[in-house]
Every structure is written in C-alpha cells, then in structure tokens.
Amino acid sequence: MKTITAKQLKNEERNWYIIDAQGLTLWRLSVKIATILKGKNKVSFTPHIDNGDYVIVLNAWKIEVTWNKLEAKKYYTHSHFMGGLKEIVLSKLLSKKPTEALKKSISWMLPKNKLRRKMLDRLKLVEGSEHTYSAQKPELITL
C-alpha cells in the first residue's frame, strides 16, 4: 500500500476568514486561528506543506484572559548583552501594543521552521471593527 502525500500547488486558492475577537479568550482564540493558518482544517493537510488560509481578526485588542493573567503573565525579551533581560506584564503590553499578545500566542503555536513566517504573513490583525479586505470576500467565523 502506498502513502499519498500532497504537493504544493502553484495556483491554489486560499480562503479568507474573519473572526471577531471581542470577548473571546486569548488562548482558545489563538488555537483556532493557528489551526486555520496551518491548514489543519482542510482534508488535504500535510505537515511539510503550507496550505493554510488567510485570517482577519477584528477587535484584536478586546480579547479576554482568565484568572489573574493580566497582572501575572509576563513576556520576556533579551538583547543578548549582560543585563539585557526585559519583562513586560500582559496588561502593559496590551496598552502599548494592543495586537502583540495575540500575535505572539499564535506564533508560539505555529511550527518552528521556515513556514512560520509565511503563515504569520497571512494573519491580519485589525484593532477596530472595520477592515480593508472586503475585495477578497471573507467568510465570517463565529466562535
């Protein structure tokens, strides 16, 4: 018996989806978006091929978190110099860069290889409730 694997098609059509993030939990929303970006919701899913779809997230700054994560969850960056470790709490990150927390959580769920950047390029985070991608005729997903 032969194993059949999918090949990357040159002219493959990718669907566009809209998700309204208002009132949704950060990690549950991130899992759903990462699944669509990877293409795991399609029948033709193959791990080494990028066949995911585009995702537009409206109201990306109105996400919710459970428990006390607004004050307890910390994001770390390091400059690779002595004493270069910086940390920022989730509440401050949401006030400085409203969409960055959602983008980071989705990025951590994507594969750690060359495909990650291409998948993240198909993620469109919008702070408001209006978007400029109406020509692509996106479908609304309710969670």
Side-chain angles (χ1 to χ4, degrees), residues 69-86:
K69 288 183 187 142
L70 275 177
E71 300 304 322
K73 181 149 184 65
K74 297 177 182 175
Y75 292 92
Y76 297 96
T77 57
H78 202 286
S79 65
H80 300 290
F81 287 100
M82 293 287 291
L85 182 66
K86 294 181 182 179

Side-chain angles (χ1 to χ4, degrees), residues 6-20:
K7 295 182 181 179
Q8 184 74 42
L9 300 176
K10 298 286 182 185
N11 298 327
E12 181 182 0
E13 267 194 47
R14 297 181 190 268
N15 298 329
W16 285 71
Y17 296 106
I18 295 180
I19 297 176
D20 189 9

Side-chain angles (χ1 to χ4, degrees), residues 11 55 57 64-65 91 93 102 104 114 117 125-126 140:
N11 298 327
V55 178
V57 182
E64 294 181 358
V65 290
S91 60
L93 182 67
L102 184 60
K104 283 186 178 196
K114 292 180 180 181
R117 175 58 36 210
L125 297 173
V126 181
L140 180 66

Side-chain angles (χ1 to χ4, degrees), residues 10-129:
K10 298 286 182 185
N11 298 327
E12 181 182 0
E13 267 194 47
R14 297 181 190 268
N15 298 329
W16 285 71
Y17 296 106
I18 295 180
I19 297 176
D20 189 9
Q22 184 172 1
L24 297 177
T25 310
L26 174 65
W27 287 98
R28 290 179 188 262
L29 176 64
S30 301
V31 167
K32 184 64 177 172
I33 293 171
T35 304
I36 296 171
L37 289 174
K38 283 186 207 177
K40 279 191 151 185
N41 58 340
K42 293 183 174 183
V43 178
S44 63
F45 171 70
T46 308
H48 66 280
I49 291 179
D50 184 18
N51 62 348
D53 296 320
Y54 288 86
V55 178
I56 305 165
V57 182
L58 303 177
N59 299 318
W61 61 280
K62 292 184 180 180
I63 54 172
E64 294 181 358
V65 290
T66 56
W67 299 82
N68 63 342
K69 288 183 187 142
L70 275 177
E71 300 304 322
K73 181 149 184 65
K74 297 177 182 175
Y75 292 92
Y76 297 96
T77 57
H78 202 286
S79 65
H80 300 290
F81 287 100
M82 293 287 291
L85 182 66
K86 294 181 182 179
E87 67 178 38
I88 187 167
V89 182
L90 179 60
S91 60
K92 286 187 181 180
L93 182 67
L94 286 175
S95 64
K96 285 185 177 181
K97 299 177 183 176
T99 60
E100 191 67 24
L102 184 60
K103 185 175 182 180
K104 283 186 178 196
S105 67
I106 293 168
S107 175
W108 292 336
M109 294 179 187
L110 295 176
K112 279 68 174 176
N113 55 24
K114 292 180 180 181
L115 297 177
R116 179 193 271 183
R117 175 58 36 210
K118 292 178 184 176
M119 290 178 187
L120 280 177
D121 286 344
R122 287 196 311 272
L123 175 65
K124 312 297 181 188
L125 297 173
V126 181
E127 290 182 22
S129 60

